[in-house]
């Protein structure tokens, strides 16, 4: 009995090894003092130094950060309004349809989404600029924001603090600003961080929708990869991974635990 | 102003609800529904000179998608998606089982650990696989050093590399629904099987496995459908010889400038997606 148990634990460990192998390889070789060979040649930080002296790379980083911030902000506003109506309002006709529609960006293959946006924007005569890309990214971020905010609003519903505020004479608007919004803030931030991560790492949508002048980080990495393997990409990837881990950690800190709502 | 906002938030009229949902709906309408409709319309048009679009209604693009040149791509896409799904299910089931019944206090940490590679960029992970699988890569170097090989093998740009990349990326999509479904199996039912004299294997085959079937099917759907539209894996680990539907679509828009044909291919992909989800829903209701 304990033999199968141990065998299973070993298998799971091996599978996790498989999942983490690329991340580990990247980390180790970002410090390797060799350009082409994968054999270890000694420790160096030169690839990291090279990153920070690469002006194109830094500008791509800036573009990606701006883009992710814009997309997360748009998705947050759209998501708060939508989830408020879905949760707080009494059931209305068409709620099911909205519900289904809000989840479509998750199920839609990104290639289909990308070429659809590309043809639509070009045919409509709209320039493929930063705004177009930010709006497209907001679309793929929207389901994440809605999911996060909605879960929080549902759990707040049970504590009926907003009703209490209104019983004490607050208008709906006051109750929203003074009670609901502050209580929902952790979920809003968590959703926004998730959106930020989604947008920051998105390659496929940007690949199709970004015009010639707009180079995001993943697009830059992709074009570097086309030129072949260079250790700089490892260093860059490690930086991106650390950024992602930080975002996920922050997100976990803000995420709502199911038992939390009742404590307020 | 404040009164109008209160009216909007109060939601005693359906109009208020629709107004609050309007920004999100407009976004979805203009950036999702209309573009998808546009693609479907475009798929019936003709490609003119220099990528111009000639609005002559016809099925020529669909006929072309199913002719002897492109049909293999469609079958290959189905094949890779099917193989990936099967592999993910077989490889992922023990992990989901372990997480549910054996992981104990490590469970949450392992669940998060499972999601981390998924949240790290796919592009970056595939780049790393390139380093591992390349001719001068880690795997070849190791195999040569330990004498398993006399000359390096090109692992990269093979079906093996594609399958590895797909399984690597989609494994969490299979494991998480499986885990959710296994977690719902009442322990008392399993114990009842033991009490009635079932051994470990019998209890697993007759009780746990059948009860986890909904999760297995959900996991398969969540793996198979995104696999059909995958594009990056073959782009990086596969190369043009093994183009799948996603790559073919991308090429029509980015290289060949044949938008009508690309639209027809995308419509086929979307039809496959809708069909798959429809079948899944019917199965779920039955």
């Amino acid at each position: 009995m304990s033999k199968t148990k141990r065998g299973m634990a070993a298998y799971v460990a091996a599978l996790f090894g498989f999942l983490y192998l690329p991340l580990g390889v990247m980390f180790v070789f970002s410090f390797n003092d060799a350009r082409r060979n994968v054999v270890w040649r000694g420790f160096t930080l030169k690839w990291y130094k090279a990153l920070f002296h690469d002006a194109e790379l830094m500008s791509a980083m800036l573009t990606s950060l701006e883009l992710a911030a814009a997309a997360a902000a748009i998705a947050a506003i759209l998501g708060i309004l939508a989830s408020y109506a879905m949760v707080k309002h009494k059931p209305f006709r068409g709620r099911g349809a909205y519900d289904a529609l809000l989840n479509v960006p998750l199920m839609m293959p990104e290639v289909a989404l990308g070429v659809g946006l590309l043809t639509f924007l070009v045919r409509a005569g709209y320039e493929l600029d930063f705004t177009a890309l930010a709006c497209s990214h907001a679309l793929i971020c929207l389901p994440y924001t809605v999911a996060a905010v909605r879960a929080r609003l549902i759990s707040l519903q049970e504590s009926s603090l907003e009703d209490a505020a209104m019983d004490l004479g607050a208008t709906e608007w006051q109750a929203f600003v003074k009670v609901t919004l502050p209580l929902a803030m952790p979920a809003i931030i968590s959703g926004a961080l998730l959106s930020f991560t989604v947008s920051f790492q998105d390659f496929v949508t940007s690949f199709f929708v970004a015009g010639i002048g707009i180079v995001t980080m993943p697009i830059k990495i992709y074009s570097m990869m086309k030129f072949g393997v260079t250790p700089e990409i490892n260093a860059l990837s490690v930086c991106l991974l650390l950024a992602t881990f930080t975002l996920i950690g922050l997100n976990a800190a803000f995420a709502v635990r199911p038992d939390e709502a009742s404590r307020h | 102003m404040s009164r109008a906002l209160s009216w909007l938030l109060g939601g005693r009229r359906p109009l208020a609800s629709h107004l609050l949902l309007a920004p999100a709906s407009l976004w979805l309408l203009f950036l999702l529904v209309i573009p998808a409709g546009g693609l479907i319309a475009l798929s019936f048009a003709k490609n003119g000179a220099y990528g111009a679009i000639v609005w002559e209604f016809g099925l020529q693009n669909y006929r072309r998608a199913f002719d002897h040149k492109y049909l293999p791509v469609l079958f290959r896409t189905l094949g890779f998606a099917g193989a990936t799904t099967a592999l993910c299910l077989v490889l992922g089931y023990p992990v989901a089982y372990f997480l549910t019944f054996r992981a104990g206090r490590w469970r949450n940490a392992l669940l998060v650990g499972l999601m981390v590679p998924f949240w790290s960029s796919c592009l970056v992970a595939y780049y790393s696989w390139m380093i591992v699988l390349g001719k001068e890569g880690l795997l070849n170097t190791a195999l040569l050093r330990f004498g398993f090989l006399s000359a390096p093998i090109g692992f990269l740009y093979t079906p093996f590399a594609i399958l590895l990349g797909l399984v690597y990326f989609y494994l969490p999509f299979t494991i998480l629904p499986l885990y959710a479904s296994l977690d719902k199996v009442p322990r008392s039912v399993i114990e009842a099987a033991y009490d009635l004299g079932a051994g470990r294997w019998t209890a697993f085959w007759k009780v746990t496995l059948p009860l986890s079937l909904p999760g297995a099917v959900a996991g398969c759907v969540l793996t198979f459908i995104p696999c059909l539209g995958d594009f990056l894996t073959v782009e990086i680990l596969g190369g043009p010889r093994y183009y799948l539907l996603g790559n073919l679509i991308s090429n029509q828009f980015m290289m060949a400038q044949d938008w009508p044909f690309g639209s027809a291919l995308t419509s086929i992909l979307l039809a496959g997606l809708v069909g798959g989800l429809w079948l899944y829903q019917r199965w779920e209701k039955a």
Side-chain angles (χ1 to χ4, degrees):
Chain A
M1 175 190 138
S2 84
K3 214 178 190 179
T4 52
K5 197 172 171 179
R6 230 178 298 147
M8 202 173 221
Y11 170 75
V12 172
L15 197 114
F16 269 83
F18 167 68
L19 287 179
Y20 280 87
L21 176 73
L23 310 189
V25 164
M26 208 153 61
F27 186 75
V28 170
F29 286 106
S30 71
F31 297 108
N32 188 11
D33 195 3
R35 179 157 274 279
R36 283 205 54 82
N37 212 314
V38 295
V39 177
W40 183 257
R41 284 278 158 82
F43 183 87
T44 178
L45 283 175
K46 69 176 171 194
W47 309 121
Y48 287 91
K49 274 186 208 134
L51 284 187
F52 292 101
H53 290 113
D54 190 333
E56 270 180 48
L57 212 58
M58 287 295 113
S59 109
M61 177 68 101
L62 201 64
T63 307
S64 268
L65 288 174
E66 281 170 3
L67 184 65
I74 298 171
I77 293 167
L78 299 179
I80 293 167
L81 294 178
S83 21
Y84 190 91
M86 302 286 279
V87 176
K88 291 270 179 182
H89 286 180
K90 62 176 206 259
F92 52 93
R93 239 164 148 212
R95 198 166 78 164
Y98 282 117
D99 201 14
L101 193 63
L102 281 169
N103 276 317
V104 174
L106 272 186
M107 279 317 277
M108 191 95 158
E110 259 199 285
V111 172
L113 213 63
V115 299
L117 284 164
L118 172 73
T119 37
F120 172 69
L121 291 168
V122 170
R123 302 284 307 165
Y126 196 89
E127 208 187 326
L128 297 176
D129 56 7
F130 182 85
T131 317
L133 191 57
C135 290
S136 308
H137 274 209
L139 177 76
I140 51 173
C141 296
L142 187 58
Y144 296 93
T145 329
V146 170
V149 178
R150 203 172 168 178
R152 179 65 173 170
L153 287 178
I154 288 173
S155 70
L156 283 178
Q157 193 83 319
E158 286 152 20
S159 68
S160 53
L161 280 168
E162 212 179 24
D163 292 339
M166 288 198 291
D167 286 344
L168 294 171
T171 63
E172 267 106 353
W173 171 244
Q174 285 169 330
F176 176 71
V177 174
K178 299 239 158 111
V179 180
T180 312
L181 207 54
L183 286 176
M185 203 41 95
I188 295 170
I189 295 173
S190 151
L193 286 171
L194 220 54
S195 300
F196 191 93
T197 319
V198 168
S199 162
F200 192 77
Q201 296 185 341
D202 175 84
F203 170 73
V204 179
T205 306
S206 306
F207 179 69
F208 292 108
V209 181
I212 297 162
I214 301 169
V215 181
T216 67
M217 205 63 188
I219 289 183
K220 179 73 190 158
I221 296 180
Y222 181 73
S223 67
M224 281 166 83
M225 277 165 68
K226 286 269 147 178
F227 284 110
V229 171
T230 91
E232 260 173 72
I233 304 181
N234 288 327
L236 183 57
S237 306
V238 171
C239 295
L240 291 184
L241 266 185
L242 289 178
T244 309
F245 287 171
T246 314
L247 282 172
I248 293 177
L250 280 174
N251 179 55
F254 281 110
V256 184
R257 275 168 282 281
D259 56 314
E260 213 176 83
S262 49
R263 256 192 271 139
H264 285 290
Chain B
M1 180 65 187
S2 164
R3 266 179 70 188
L5 288 169
S6 287
W7 176 83
L8 208 55
L9 292 168
R12 269 171 283 278
R13 292 290 168 90
L15 180 63
S17 310
H18 291 300
L19 278 175
L20 275 188
L21 278 156
S25 319
L26 283 177
W27 224 266
L28 288 159
L29 182 69
F30 276 102
L31 296 179
L32 190 82
V33 178
I34 293 177
L39 279 181
I40 294 169
L42 202 58
S43 71
F44 296 106
K46 250 188 185 152
N47 193 40
Y50 307 110
I53 286 149
V54 185
W55 290 102
E56 275 173 42
F57 182 86
L59 288 172
Q60 65 280 354
N61 294 314
Y62 289 95
R63 234 174 275 134
R64 200 174 143 206
F66 289 106
D67 76 6
H68 61 92
K69 193 170 163 206
Y70 294 109
L71 200 57
V73 179
L74 295 182
F75 280 125
R76 195 186 303 143
T77 308
L78 286 173
F80 271 108
T84 306
T85 309
L87 271 171
C88 284
L89 189 62
V90 173
L91 292 173
Y93 200 97
V95 179
Y97 188 89
F98 183 87
L99 283 170
T100 318
F101 297 110
R102 301 266 187 272
R105 66 204 163 91
W106 293 101
R107 187 202 281 206
N108 282 334
L110 288 174
L111 275 172
V112 173
L114 200 62
M115 291 309 290
V116 165
F118 166 76
W119 278 110
S120 68
S121 165
C122 185
L123 195 67
V124 161
Y126 285 166
Y127 172 74
S128 191
W129 278 116
M130 278 174 78
I131 301 179
V132 175
L133 298 174
K135 267 237 161 97
E136 294 174 348
L138 211 58
L139 189 58
N140 268 317
T141 312
L143 288 175
L144 284 170
R145 172 140 332 157
F146 295 115
F148 289 113
L149 285 178
S150 50
I153 303 183
F155 290 108
L156 215 51
Y157 315 122
T158 62
F160 167 75
I162 300 169
L163 215 52
L164 187 136
L166 287 171
V167 169
Y168 177 84
F169 186 69
Y170 288 107
L171 208 49
F173 287 78
T174 322
I175 294 177
L176 290 177
L178 268 174
Y179 163 77
S181 165
L182 277 169
D183 200 35
K184 271 192 225 133
V185 177
R187 309 294 158 107
S188 54
V189 176
I190 302 171
E191 271 157 31
Y194 289 142
D195 288 347
L196 293 171
R200 279 193 162 266
W201 277 105
T202 321
F204 175 73
W205 279 110
K206 298 251 157 125
V207 179
T208 316
L209 187 67
L211 285 175
S212 68
L213 210 59
V217 175
C220 286
V221 170
L222 282 179
T223 311
F224 187 78
I225 287 183
C227 258
L228 288 179
D230 193 273
F231 141 85
L232 203 54
T233 314
V234 171
E235 200 68 30
I236 295 171
L237 298 173
R241 270 180 64 201
Y242 300 104
Y243 264 10
L244 301 182
L245 185 54
N247 308 89
L248 202 56
I249 291 172
S250 153
N251 254 22
Q252 300 313 313
F253 285 91
M254 307 307 275
M255 315 274 263
Q257 295 300 335
D258 190 345
W259 289 20
F261 183 50
S263 303
L265 293 169
T266 315
S267 305
I268 293 169
L269 173 63
L270 291 180
L273 174 107
V274 171
L277 286 178
W278 180 74
L279 278 178
Y280 173 60
Q281 264 188 339
R282 274 196 54 175
W283 179 86
E284 216 181 14
K285 272 184 197 143

